[in-house]
Amino acid sequence: MAVRYRIGEFAELSGVSTKTLRFYDEIGLLRPAAVDPRTRYRLYLPQQLEELASILALKDVGASLTEVRNLTNKAGSNQERREILGELKKEVEQSIQMATQSLKWIDATLNELDDSERPIAVVVKRRPAVLVASIRSRVQSYPEIERFEQELLSELPVQSMGDLRGVLWHSCADSGFLEGEPFVALKQRVPSRSVYDLKHLPPATLACAYSGLDFDSAERSYAAIRRWMAIRGYRVAGPKRELYLDGFLEIQFPMRSA
Amino acid sequence: MAVRYRIGEFAELSGVSTKTLRFYDEIGLLRPAAVDPRTRYRLYLPQQLEELASILALKDVGASLTEVRNLTNKAGSNQERREILGELKKEVEQSIQMATQSLKWIDATLNELDDSERPIAVVVKRRPAVLVASIRSRVQSYPEIERFEQELLSELPVQSMGDLRGVLWHSCADSGFLEGEPFVALKQRVPSRSVYDLKHLPPATLACAYSGLDFDSAERSYAAIRRWMAIRGYRVAGPKRELYLDGFLEIQFPMRSA
DNA sequence: ACGACCTTAACGGTGCGTTAAAGTTT
DNA sequence: CAAACTTTAACGCACCGTTAAGGTCG
């Protein structure tokens, strides 16, 4: 008579719980070799220990149960298996990359905590193209750009202006001169005038952080974004954006992977 | 009048879905600044964009929402934050380690697939101590151990023997000589006799694989376990165990981290 | 009045752990 | 007969996505 294990013994021999075995039965991943028709007890064969071991080994390397099913599927060819394992490999490589970056971020944040500065959060956002009116101009100092903002706002009909306002910085003090471009999003078509330009902010992926209106606060956020991008290996791709919110700024760096 | 966003606008500005915002409200992670008592519309303040950014940044580095709540908890001290981040760091480091090992395993398995050998699964099991009767003996060749198995089985009362049978290998051919120890688990106390020893298999963590009864098959499984342990940085800790199953073997290497 | 917004409620997915109530084996 | 097994059913966790059915805003 063939050896058969009931679920409890099979569970002990294999090292998984009975609940897991019932679950694997339910989802068709590991069906018991037989079921007693009267008691409905599940009966497993010794050979199924090996089958289960294959499943567990795959699960341990990060495969989902669905992937495991496809990999242990007897009908599958080795070619298919190679493809699935290739996918899995990519996933695992990605997760290592992301975890490595997380580690760097955590270490950096721990350092910031030691300095008793509150850490500055950086998040990624995607933004679609936006129609704006703007005035581009070279200035000597940051506050000086305000004059052009006033000019822009006064030239535009109030009801056509959207909520989105800010400044594009094409270059900063580091590069020897300062070039800013105040802009306002438009809800409606407006007459073209020589005093302002009509253009689209291009769609972009942005690294964003918030700051107060003062120079020091903004500088800290700029630095935080730069560090964040350096850790991830991103590079700046276009003019930085400063959005006016209610008493503070959202600073956005357009970026692409280096 | 203060600026307030309804959930949709706040969602767009922050880059998360309205559903996520409702969920964060529900679990108390990010409560809207106000709720219109008549319409029950949620109303957010611009400053909450920064709060949400802090949450997202933590989530991105792998923190659970519960951890995020503890970290962004205003009452929390920096000391507490350091501790939580420290925990998180450990988790991330661990996940990198495991993922790195998974990668090696996947690469190795891809190679085995190329050789058109079916890969051998290795799984980890914990085993408690087991009372056994055994006969230890030096032999010239593997099949020779069978004689001692027969002797052991014939000396023991049938009803006291458990299902667990096998051989402990204290050394293998590589080391110049071969020393095996057939054993049988005991369900009941048995008389002590000079022909066999009574002892406990010690509790152990085991790296396990299955093989056929033939020498070649067993060798391949031995090799697979050794490779598996080498990748993970484990070392053999005690005699290897071969368990007799129904027409095949479960090979077990006691192990400890190196 | 129409569409685009908002609300709550409820189910889905992953991989099981954890009772609970009831039948089976030793 | 009691202890130790088995069965199905159903809820719980984490983190939302996805309808569905119905009020609200411009």
Side-chain angles (χ1 to χ4, degrees), chain B residues 74-86:
Chain B
K74 282 154 193 162
S77 69
N78 269 5
Q79 176 55 30
E80 286 178 292
R81 289 185 228 281
R82 251 188 296 277
E83 281 173 23
I84 300 177
L85 280 177

Side-chain angles (χ1 to χ4, degrees), chain B:
Chain B
M1 188 56 188
V3 180
R4 290 160 190 278
Y5 304 118
R6 295 197 311 203
I7 198 168
E9 194 176 4
F10 191 73
E12 269 212 54
L13 287 172
S14 64
V16 310
S17 71
T18 61
K19 178 56 189 167
T20 298
L21 290 175
R22 277 190 270 264
F23 181 66
Y24 286 177
D25 178 10
E26 192 179 334
I27 66 173
L29 182 55
L30 182 69
R31 290 272 159 74
V35 176
D36 184 307
R38 192 174 58 82
T39 65
R40 318 191 65 173
Y41 280 17
R42 293 171 177 83
L43 298 172
Y44 294 86
L45 294 174
Q47 295 89 305
Q48 298 196 277
L49 286 171
E50 192 178 351
E51 203 180 337
L52 180 51
S54 304
I55 291 171
L56 297 178
L58 288 168
K59 216 172 66 69
D60 280 354
V61 296
S64 71
L65 294 193
T66 306
E67 288 169 323
V68 171
R69 192 162 36 207
N70 295 334
L71 279 165
T72 58
N73 179 9
K74 282 154 193 162
S77 69
N78 269 5
Q79 176 55 30
E80 286 178 292
R81 289 185 228 281
R82 251 188 296 277
E83 281 173 23
I84 300 177
L85 280 177
E87 297 275 340
L88 196 57
K89 183 176 172 179
K90 277 189 211 161
E91 288 173 29
V92 174
E93 282 169 343
Q94 269 229 349
S95 78
I96 290 179
Q97 258 230 347
M98 294 188 50
T100 304
Q101 292 166 358
S102 295
L103 250 192
K104 288 188 194 170
W105 187 93
I106 292 172
D107 282 333
T109 304
L110 278 170
N111 283 338
E112 288 183 40
L113 271 181
D114 290 342
D115 301 346
S116 81
E117 298 172 12
R118 34 183 156 18
I120 293 169
V122 177
V123 289
V124 180
K125 300 180 185 177
R126 289 198 149 274
R127 287 286 177 245
V130 185
L131 178 65
V132 296
S134 69
I135 300 176
R136 182 165 174 170
S137 159
R138 188 175 297 196
V139 294
Q140 304 290 341
S141 70
Y142 288 102
E144 206 181 323
I145 203 73
E146 203 176 329
R147 194 160 58 81
F148 298 95
E149 291 171 32
Q150 305 291 349
E151 191 176 342
L152 178 63
L153 295 179
S154 63
E155 285 293 330
L156 288 167
V158 173
Q159 78 280 10
S160 64
M161 291 190 290
D163 288 335
L164 186 69
R165 292 166 203 204
V167 179
L168 294 177
W169 289 104
H170 295 273
S171 63
C172 65
D174 300 342
S175 62
F177 59 96
L178 212 51
E179 191 169 3
E181 183 174 1
F183 65 87
V184 177
L186 298 174
K187 290 190 295 192
Q188 314 170 0
R189 278 257 155 250
V190 294
S192 199
R193 296 204 198 171
S194 58
V195 64
Y196 54 75
D197 297 328
L198 294 182
K199 54 157 78 172
H200 285 276
L201 293 189
T205 302
L206 303 156
C208 307
Y210 298 92
S211 91
L213 294 173
D214 58 302
F215 180 80
D216 278 2
S217 173
E219 267 311 301
R220 280 199 298 275
S221 293
Y222 270 78
I225 298 177
R226 267 188 250 278
R227 278 201 307 274
W228 187 96
M229 288 176 65
I231 288 175
R232 262 89 179 165
Y234 288 115
R235 291 174 52 185
V236 178
K240 296 137 203 167
R241 306 177 184 183
E242 284 182 0
L243 302 190
Y244 292 136
L245 263 33
D246 190 38
F248 64 104
L249 297 179
E250 175 168 336
I251 298 169
Q252 306 179 328
F253 280 45
M255 64 180 200
R256 58 182 159 84
S257 43

Side-chain angles (χ1 to χ4, degrees), chain A residues 128-132 164 168 183 199-203 241 243:
Chain A
V130 185
L131 179 64
V132 297
L164 187 69
L168 294 177
F183 65 88
K199 55 157 76 172
H200 285 275
L201 292 189
R241 306 176 185 184
L243 302 190

Side-chain angles (χ1 to χ4, degrees), chain A residues 7-8 19 22 40-42:
Chain A
I7 198 168
K19 178 55 188 169
R22 278 190 269 263
R40 317 191 64 173
Y41 280 17
R42 293 170 178 83

Side-chain angles (χ1 to χ4, degrees), chain A residues 64-80:
Chain A
S64 71
L65 295 191
T66 307
E67 288 170 322
V68 171
R69 192 162 36 208
N70 294 334
L71 278 165
T72 58
N73 178 9
K74 283 155 192 161
S77 69
N78 269 7
Q79 177 56 30
E80 285 178 293

Side-chain angles (χ1 to χ4, degrees), chain A residues 5 22 28 32 36 43 49 53 69 77 90 101 108 113 123 132 169 190 195 200-201 229 234 243 248 257:
Chain A
Y5 303 118
R22 278 190 269 263
D36 184 306
L43 299 172
L49 286 171
R69 192 162 36 208
S77 69
K90 276 190 211 162
Q101 292 166 358
L113 270 182
V123 290
V132 297
W169 289 105
V190 294
V195 64
H200 285 275
L201 292 189
M229 287 176 66
Y234 288 114
L243 302 190
F248 63 103
S257 43

